[in-house]
């Protein structure tokens, strides 16, 4: 095994162990938690290496890079868009993204709905929520979402499959816990007022620094980038 492959394999094993341990602590089945490997800063050979190790769920934050990489790596990869989506990028993204985690406005939902109707597809989307109200962040404000929740039941093509959030960057992952709790509770509140066509089953939360805590609070998708690529930034590691 090359140096690159052995580093990736060790990082992946350690992430999977931590996912399993967090699942066990919270009496959850580790198979209910999907690891989305975030490849936005990864070089192509690192991506290829992960795929060779059996990773099939990949996340990109830029629509353009998602589309171009989806052409390079098709089967068996499932692509997730995790970064901001502009309305004029919806058309190229819909056919390739299995799940869009970052839908942050009703205008964007409306746009996705109309392109989905045109293309005859049923895209799965998550609503990005700014649960902490940080000004620098994208996402719905919880009160806005609750006030307009009935709009969610009106979509006939797109599927609102759940919620996504980014916790504040903190030194101690415990400090991220309230944001994860808030997202889970918001999901329950929304589910009580929306129709059966709004499944809301997924909670996309948890990144390299805080995914253990996110799983304890109910994450069904964790988005992990840097932790998978530890030790690979210097060229010496990639022989
Ligand atoms: C980059 C990114 C991640 C992964 O972050 P790491 O800290 O590298 O694990 C997760 N989610 C989103 C939305 C991102 O942009």
């Amino acid at each position: 095994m090359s140096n690159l492959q052995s580093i990736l394999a060790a990082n992946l094993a350690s992430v999977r162990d931590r996912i399993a341990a967090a699942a066990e602590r919270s009496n959850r089945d580790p198979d209910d938690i999907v690891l989305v490997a975030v490849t936005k800063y990864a070089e192509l050979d690192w991506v290829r290496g992960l795929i060779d190790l059996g990773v099939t769920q990949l996340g990109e934050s830029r629509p353009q890079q998602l589309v171009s990489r989806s052409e390079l790596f098709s089967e068996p990869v499932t692509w997730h868009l995790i970064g901001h989506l502009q309305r004029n990028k919806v058309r190229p993204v819909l056919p390739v993204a299995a799940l869009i985690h970052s839908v942050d406005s009703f205008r964007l939902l409306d746009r996705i709905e109309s392109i989905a109707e045109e293309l005859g597809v049923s895209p799965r989307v998550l609503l990005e929520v700014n649960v902490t109200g940080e000004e620098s962040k994208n996402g719905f404000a919880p009160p806005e979402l609750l006030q307009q929740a009935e709009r969610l039941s009106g979509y006939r093509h797109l599927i609102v499959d759940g919620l996504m959030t980014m916790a504040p960057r903190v030194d101690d992952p415990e400090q991220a816990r309230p944001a994860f709790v808030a997202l889970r509770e918001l999901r329950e509140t929304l589910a009580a007022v929306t129709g059966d066509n709004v499944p809301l089953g997924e909670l996309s939360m948890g990144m390299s620094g805080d995914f253990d805590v996110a799983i304890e609070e109910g994450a069904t998708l964790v988005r992990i980038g840097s932790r998978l690529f530890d030790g690979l930034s210097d060229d010496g590691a990639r022989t």
Side-chain angles (χ1 to χ4, degrees):
M1 205 186 261
S2 72
N3 198 9
L4 167 64
Q5 278 312 84
S6 55
I7 291 171
L8 285 174
N11 289 347
L12 183 61
S14 122
V15 165
R16 287 200 170 131
D17 283 351
R18 280 171 58 185
I19 290 173
E24 192 167 327
R25 281 196 300 279
S26 43
N27 283 318
R28 302 184 56 204
D29 183 345
D31 291 342
D32 292 341
I33 297 144
V34 173
L35 165 62
V36 178
V38 175
T39 49
K40 64 185 179 197
Y41 297 134
E43 298 185 19
L44 290 178
D45 57 340
W46 306 2
V47 179
R48 162 99 42 220
L50 280 182
I51 295 170
D52 289 347
L53 290 167
V55 173
T56 56
Q57 311 283 328
L58 300 185
E60 286 286 343
S61 63
R62 291 191 5 248
Q64 227 127 9
Q65 185 156 310
L66 175 108
V67 170
S68 62
R69 288 189 166 184
S70 73
E71 286 159 9
L72 292 175
F73 306 102
S74 49
E75 291 293 307
V77 176
T78 299
W79 288 98
H80 298 250
L81 182 70
I82 62 168
H84 184 63
L85 177 59
Q86 290 163 295
R87 289 186 306 139
N88 64 3
K89 297 279 165 51
V90 168
R91 190 182 299 276
V93 159
L94 279 202
V96 287
L99 184 63
I100 301 171
H101 294 230
S102 42
V103 176
D104 54 7
S105 69
F106 280 105
R107 288 180 77 208
L108 180 57
L109 279 167
D110 291 345
R111 173 78 179 165
I112 293 172
E113 176 76 357
S114 79
I115 303 284
E117 176 167 23
E118 200 182 298
L119 300 179
V121 295
S122 305
R124 294 170 59 219
V125 307
L126 306 180
L127 307 179
E128 180 170 359
V129 183
N130 184 357
V131 287
T132 52
E134 288 164 273
E135 281 204 8
S136 58
K137 281 200 177 141
N138 295 322
F140 286 94
E144 173 197 10
L145 205 47
L146 288 168
Q147 272 156 23
Q148 305 196 54
E150 79 283 358
R151 285 178 73 172
L152 298 175
S153 308
Y155 296 111
R156 291 287 167 266
H157 299 276
L158 65 80
I159 298 162
V160 182
D161 227 356
L163 305 180
M164 178 274 232
T165 200
M166 290 176 77
R169 290 210 171 267
V170 288
D171 296 326
D172 175 3
E174 274 306 319
Q175 295 176 286
R177 192 181 295 274
F180 300 141
V181 172
L183 195 72
R184 189 188 64 222
E185 292 178 349
L186 179 64
R187 188 260 301 269
E188 302 314 321
T189 311
L190 272 179
V193 297
T194 49
D196 290 345
N197 63 327
V198 185
L200 287 174
E202 308 287 348
L203 289 176
S204 170
M205 55 189 198
M207 311 183 4
S208 289
D210 56 22
F211 68 90
D212 318 71
V213 175
I215 290 168
E216 289 170 13
E217 296 303 339
T220 61
L221 296 142
V222 289
R223 309 177 310 269
I224 299 178
S226 49
R227 182 66 194 86
L228 290 172
F229 306 109
D230 269 0
L232 288 178
S233 38
D234 59 322
D235 288 338
R238 290 184 286 111
T239 49

